[in-house]
Amino acid sequence: MSEHKDFLRTIVEEDLKAGKYKEVVTRFPPEPNGFPHIGHAKSICINFGIAKDYDGHCNLRMDDTNPTTEDTRYVEALKDAVQWLGFEWDDSVRFTSDYFAQIHAYAIELIKMGKAYVDSVDEEQMRELRGTVTEAGKRSKYAQRSVEENLDLFERMKNGEFKDGEHVLRAKIDMGAANMKLRDPLLYRIRHAHHFRAGDTWCIYPMYDFAHCLSDYIEGVSHSICTLEFENNRDIYNWVLDTLGLEAPRPYQHEFARLGINYTVMSKRKLLELVEAGVVSGWDDPRLPTIAGYKRRGYTPESIINFCDGIGIAKANSMVDVAQLEFTIRDDLNTKVARVMCVLDPLKVTITNYDESEDIEASFYPHDVPKEGTRKLPFSKEIYIDRADFSETPEKGYFRLTPTQAVRLKYAYIITFEEAIKDADGNIVEIKAAYHPDSKSGEDTSGIKVKSAIQWVEAKMAKNVEVRVYDRLFKSEAPEGVEDINPDSLKVIKTALIEPAVITDKPDVRFQFEREGYFYADPVDYTDENPVFNKIVGLKESSSKKKKAPQVAPKAEPKKEQIDGEVVAMSESEQALFDKYTVELKLGSMVADILARDEKLSSFYAEALSSLNSPVSIANIVSNDVARELKEKEVNELSFDAKQIAELVKMVDEELISSKIVKQVFEEMVKSGDNPTDIVEAKGLVQISDPAVIAPIIDEIIEKNPDNVEKFRGGNTKLLGFFVGQVLKATGGKANPKMVNELVAKALNA
Ligand code: ATP
Ligand code: MG
């Protein structure tokens, strides 16, 4: 492995070196209360990936401690997702519910040690007694109960003598702890509910904080990897295992940043809302970010893994652009799948001077000629082209068929317009054209110049198919829920025509429909009578960030005789650079692609790297900000040099300035040509990392937004980002984001 490991693997290696564990054991511990999504894929890649890299193993454990929301259907979906991504869990699937008896015994042990007690205050009192961030909490009077009384009450809780909520079991830790989670956290609650596996055996259920660490311990987990929101729970995790005196080796918890993607929601609860509201057709609706949705849409497991690996493992939450996921899938399919022709919006063309019929041999892989595989394209007098590929009144730059401009039928002949037949309303219903016998693709001696080649199908042999074109499910980048749904997220095209070779009875096939995008035979609805294809992704990054491009037949103008969106192959040296960037330096494939293909950028990058070994951060700024400057300038015309960029990155790495400030400093460097260090000093941009300065700002923002505080506490944890954003804004972006994150979370969870 290269020297640029992620921080989790660094920890694992250090632990192995220190002899802390004989074997690396990780686990993926979802709650079976919904279908897994791309965030879970990230966690799966990390947990199974680390186990694989260090010859350990990874358990798949259903964290089924909440009987009211869980279901075997979700268990199956979770298993399916892990398998589809190509991972294998150790032994059989584990369930926290299998450990209920053991966990219960540990609870009794804590009670006997005087470290846990049965509390009987109601929820509201409990909240009041918990105190605030600035004020210590108070223990409830029931904390005085004797061990015997606690044992008796706990036994009776278990025997079903009390109603839900009447009593709880709490750990006796510290009501004055700065970490509010340590203020006597709940260990058990009463829930008279049927459990999908344990049946009615239990009416008390352990809380996450108690069950999780013990399940990890029981399974011999070494590294318990979870997402950042559990950072404050780590203290309880350690308290439980330490207080019970559980023998080494015991697991330790490590947190990484949750994956967020724009234009979608990503919690099982929110996804369930969409499913239940009927906004989507089910958990496997191809517009959802669920693994089942991606699978049905035609994403490949490889591309999802590449995406998860490519974005790296971070310690601070961030939002990944969905375009990056789309890039990865395109990148994966580009070289793999056959290219065929499908006309989405057919317009009939009669070739007046052609009366025979012939089969034209065409490669499935025209972009990769040595790859074998051809098919026969029937050609005759009557064909269909896409309506958008003819224009009677073309705008400037329109390169396809017009009354005065010939066009090539891909793999076949050049045709020239003769006449447009219209219906009573003036709509064009047919084109009459002439073909040029000596213009056949590959043996063209006609000398006719065309500017593009378009897809077509032969009328009699073409097969009618249904095409489902998907757009983003949400209109806004950070959607809240159903109200942000994009009404045009699904377009069903019933009239598309496809060349006969595409119709196969092989399931699980993907194609590139030339000039349209990548498509997948829908695994559920595809039948011989009604073949259905899902659009996986377009050929180019969609411009939805600015204005939505029309989703049906989006066509940018090709330059020469070229196919839209064709990714130009890299030269050998570019490919070598790309490999080095992605493998050795661990850059994401999108960033690596940008740098490797551009000489100016790659040498600038190399130079910056020679003064600071921070490959990922430097790559980000070079592929973005520097690249923008270099679009119009040469390197020697820039007002800054590679060394100064390294200096800028260094300040971020050392947490001298916040990552939010970088753009501002960079812009100043562009304008003034000053050193980044001088700019930061002169403008007072040094990062604020003093909690005493940040805390009052947080308090003020919390005070100003009571509604959002309430929503957050009611479960809308996404609003954490809102508060963090407000605080960062209030400090002009100068506050240390990680610290703000922590402090805000603390304050809100108070
Ligand atoms: P959700 O809010 O979608 O229900 P969760 O965190 O409750 O998610 P679990 O089923 O408890 O989901 O999660 C199983 C594992 O997947 C956990 O370790 C969790 O941290 C991880 N995970 C869940 N969502 C993400 C995400 N967006 N990015 C990375 N890991 C995630
Ligand atoms: Mg959950």
Side-chain angles (χ1 to χ4, degrees):
M1 214 163 302
S2 85
E3 53 187 305
H4 301 287
K5 288 183 288 297
D6 59 75
F7 74 95
L8 290 172
R9 284 177 169 80
T10 306
I11 292 171
V12 168
E13 282 186 15
E14 277 166 8
D15 286 349
L16 285 175
K17 217 187 279 166
K20 199 160 159 185
Y21 304 104
K22 278 208 212 63
E23 192 190 6
V24 173
V25 182
T26 56
R27 84 287 170 266
F28 170 60
E31 185 184 351
N33 61 347
F35 273 54
H37 47 67
I38 182 85
H40 292 104
K42 175 85 201 169
S43 179
I44 290 170
C45 288
I46 291 177
N47 281 298
F48 284 92
I50 288 180
K52 205 167 176 178
D53 284 354
Y54 297 97
D55 293 325
H57 64 260
C58 180
N59 295 343
L60 172 60
R61 183 202 310 148
M62 300 298 152
D63 186 17
D64 57 348
T65 54
N66 185 358
T68 55
T69 54
E70 294 157 3
D71 197 292
T72 41
R73 194 172 159 229
Y74 301 137
V75 174
E76 291 311 312
L78 284 155
K79 283 161 63 177
D80 197 56
V82 173
Q83 280 171 331
W84 184 67
L85 288 171
F87 294 108
E88 267 174 57
W89 52 87
D90 181 67
D91 214 352
S92 49
V93 178
R94 330 267 168 137
F95 292 85
T96 303
S97 56
D98 288 343
Y99 314 135
F100 279 172
Q102 269 164 290
I103 295 170
H104 178 255
Y106 281 123
I108 289 178
E109 216 172 299
L110 281 183
I111 296 175
K112 287 185 178 158
M113 296 164 88
K115 295 289 186 187
Y117 61 95
V118 173
D119 199 357
S120 312
V121 294
D122 62 29
E123 251 181 77
E124 201 188 316
Q125 269 175 298
M126 194 179 297
R127 201 169 26 245
E128 273 167 25
L129 288 169
R130 190 172 287 133
T132 64
V133 216
T134 47
E135 243 173 87
K138 290 190 210 65
R139 228 165 227 152
S140 110
K141 59 178 187 222
Y142 301 109
Q144 308 290 335
R145 281 174 172 152
S146 67
V147 169
E148 288 66 35
E149 194 180 351
N150 281 321
L151 285 173
D152 176 58
L153 280 171
F154 190 51
E155 176 66 16
R156 289 165 58 198
M157 281 167 67
K158 172 171 163 271
N159 294 341
E161 289 184 31
F162 306 111
K163 290 201 287 291
D164 285 9
E166 230 176 306
H167 303 286
V168 291
L169 184 73
R170 295 179 78 168
K172 202 175 217 171
I173 307 184
D174 179 3
M175 289 305 287
N179 176 359
M180 305 263 309
K181 298 249 171 180
L182 281 182
R183 297 188 182 176
D184 291 9
L186 302 198
L187 302 181
Y188 263 93
R189 61 180 170 176
I190 303 173
R191 262 295 137 92
H192 289 276
H194 184 82
H195 188 282
F196 76 102
R197 290 189 81 246
D200 297 311
T201 313
W202 297 89
C203 63
I204 54 172
Y205 289 92
M207 304 298 290
Y208 170 88
D209 279 323
F210 194 50
H212 203 87
C213 52
L214 289 171
S215 305
D216 283 346
Y217 181 77
I218 291 166
E219 289 178 8
V221 166
S222 59
H223 297 83
S224 178
I225 298 165
C226 64
T227 35
L228 270 183
E229 69 273 21
F230 293 102
E231 205 172 351
N232 286 337
N233 301 60
R234 194 201 312 138
D235 289 339
I236 311 180
Y237 190 103
N238 290 333
W239 183 91
V240 171
L241 297 185
D242 289 343
T243 306
L244 285 167
L246 296 176
E247 272 166 40
R250 73 146 172 98
Y252 284 87
Q253 177 184 309
H254 308 277
E255 309 89 19
F256 70 97
R258 215 177 166 80
L259 166 66
I261 296 189
N262 59 5
Y263 293 103
T264 192
V265 293
M266 249 215 309
S267 85
K268 289 184 242 115
R269 190 176 51 78
K270 286 213 168 136
L271 295 170
L272 177 66
E273 266 170 39
L274 298 175
V275 173
E276 286 186 333
V279 172
V280 291
S281 63
W283 283 102
D284 67 348
D285 188 297
R287 291 166 293 176
L288 289 181
T290 53
I291 304 302
Y294 288 135
K295 183 176 167 186
R296 178 159 179 194
R297 179 145 170 185
Y299 277 51
T300 55
E302 296 82 3
S303 62
I304 291 179
I305 289 171
N306 289 344
F307 170 72
C308 289
D309 289 348
I311 53 180
I313 306 178
K315 279 196 211 180
N317 284 322
S318 66
M319 198 58 107
V320 175
D321 194 334
V322 65
Q324 200 165 334
L325 176 62
E326 291 162 358
F327 172 90
T328 328
I329 173 79
R330 215 178 273 125
D331 196 41
D332 184 43
L333 296 179
N334 179 37
T335 51
K336 276 188 191 166
V337 307
R339 298 186 181 185
V340 297
M341 297 199 283
C342 178
V343 173
L344 294 185
D345 186 9
L347 173 62
K348 187 170 167 187
V349 176
T350 303
I351 302 172
T352 52
N353 59 342
Y354 186 94
D355 285 311
E356 306 121 69
S357 65
E358 64 183 293
D359 281 335
I360 297 171
E361 180 108 351
S363 169
F364 276 128
Y365 306 99
H367 54 296
D368 189 3
V369 179
K371 205 157 167 179
E372 302 206 347
T374 60
R375 83 288 197 185
K376 296 224 174 347
L377 286 168
F379 184 76
S380 80
K381 189 180 180 64
E382 282 184 8
I383 62 166
Y384 284 96
I385 65 170
D386 199 287
R387 200 163 276 278
D389 288 336
F390 171 73
S391 175
E392 216 177 7
T393 50
E395 283 174 18
K396 199 168 172 294
Y398 185 89
F399 289 157
R400 293 158 276 161
L401 187 65
T402 75
T404 56
Q405 181 169 271
V407 77
R408 172 175 300 284
L409 299 173
K410 181 117 213 216
Y411 306 112
Y413 301 95
I414 291 173
I415 55 169
T416 307
F417 172 88
E418 288 182 330
E419 188 188 352
I421 315 285
K422 297 182 180 174
D423 66 12
D425 299 323
N427 302 312
I428 298 172
V429 291
E430 186 188 339
I431 301 283
K432 291 198 189 292
Y435 92 115
H436 298 271
D438 52 356
S439 70
K440 194 165 176 186
S441 190
E443 44 201 79
D444 182 0
T445 54
S446 70
I448 302 168
K449 288 245 175 336
V450 291
K451 289 184 174 146
S452 72
I454 60 173
Q455 73 272 31
W456 55 276
V457 292
E458 195 278 331
K460 282 194 207 69
M461 299 298 285
K463 174 102 180 154
N464 179 217
V465 294
E466 178 177 325
V467 174
R468 298 177 183 168
V469 178
Y470 303 102
D471 193 3
R472 297 183 177 151
L473 184 54
F474 291 98
K475 288 178 291 193
S476 52
E477 254 196 275
E480 268 303 309
V482 179
E483 60 280 8
D484 291 320
I485 292 286
N486 169 13
D488 302 319
S489 61
L490 168 61
K491 283 216 177 83
V492 179
I493 301 171
K494 297 256 186 196
T495 51
L497 293 173
I498 205 159
E499 58 167 285
V502 176
I503 300 304
T504 72
D505 38 31
K506 247 196 311 174
D508 203 22
V509 275
R510 296 174 181 82
F511 293 99
Q512 181 187 119
F513 291 176
E514 300 217 31
R515 300 178 67 232
E516 296 291 357
Y518 295 98
F519 292 80
Y520 183 55
D522 186 275
V524 180
D525 294 337
Y526 189 104
T527 60
D528 289 345
E529 295 72 45
N530 185 39
V532 178
F533 287 92
N534 294 322
K535 181 162 178 177
I536 306 169
V537 68
L539 294 173
K540 284 188 179 167
E541 187 173 332
S542 81
S543 52
S544 73
K545 270 212 157 160
K546 290 160 220 145
K547 217 174 120 229
K548 281 260 153 34
Q551 276 298 306
V552 182
K555 285 187 194 63
E557 301 309 322
K559 288 182 199 92
K560 294 168 259 137
E561 191 170 322
Q562 175 208 314
I563 301 164
D564 285 0
E566 182 143 328
V567 180
V568 181
M570 288 188 191
S571 71
E572 231 170 82
S573 59
E574 286 169 352
Q575 187 66 48
L577 262 184
F578 180 85
D579 293 345
K580 176 180 162 193
Y581 289 162
T582 49
V583 178
E584 234 174 85
L585 302 184
K586 294 267 178 264
L587 304 188
S589 48
M590 192 146 110
V591 167
D593 190 78
I594 296 172
L595 296 180
R597 285 175 187 275
D598 188 319
E599 236 279 337
K600 282 196 278 185
L601 287 179
S602 51
S603 39
F604 191 97
Y605 177 57
E607 205 186 326
L609 213 52
S610 70
S611 37
L612 177 73
N613 186 18
S614 182
V616 175
S617 312
I618 296 180
N620 283 339
I621 190 163
V622 173
S623 64
N624 256 296
D625 308 82
V626 177
R628 208 169 41 243
E629 289 300 308
L630 279 177
K631 264 203 186 121
E632 281 138 32
K633 290 187 186 130
E634 288 306 314
V635 176
N636 57 14
E637 295 170 325
L638 294 175
S639 55
F640 54 86
D641 59 24
K643 235 183 162 150
Q644 288 172 325
I645 291 297
E647 194 180 318
L648 176 60
V649 170
K650 188 157 179 244
M651 284 194 284
V652 184
D653 284 357
E654 290 177 349
E655 301 196 0
L656 219 66
I657 58 171
S658 124
S659 53
K660 302 260 168 200
I661 290 291
V662 172
K663 286 234 176 319
Q664 200 182 327
V665 179
F666 180 78
E667 265 152 39
E668 195 55 38
M669 288 165 68
V670 170
K671 258 200 284 176
S672 65
D674 289 343
N675 258 332
T677 326
D678 297 339
I679 294 170
V680 167
E681 195 155 308
K683 301 215 158 220
L685 297 175
V686 174
Q687 168 155 280
I688 306 172
S689 292
D690 182 356
V693 179
I694 300 174
I697 302 174
I698 294 180
D699 290 344
E700 199 183 314
I701 286 182
I702 285 189
E703 199 153 302
K704 269 198 221 147
N705 295 283
D707 290 359
N708 280 344
V709 173
E710 196 172 312
K711 278 194 211 154
F712 176 88
R713 291 187 175 146
N716 186 352
T717 48
K718 244 204 171 147
L719 283 166
L720 185 67
F722 162 81
F723 285 103
V724 170
Q726 291 289 312
V727 174
L728 290 176
K729 206 162 141 196
T731 60
K734 285 191 287 182
N736 177 336
K738 191 163 174 253
M739 177 167 291
V740 171
N741 236 306
E742 280 167 18
L743 292 176
V744 167
K746 228 178 240 178
L748 285 173
N749 286 318

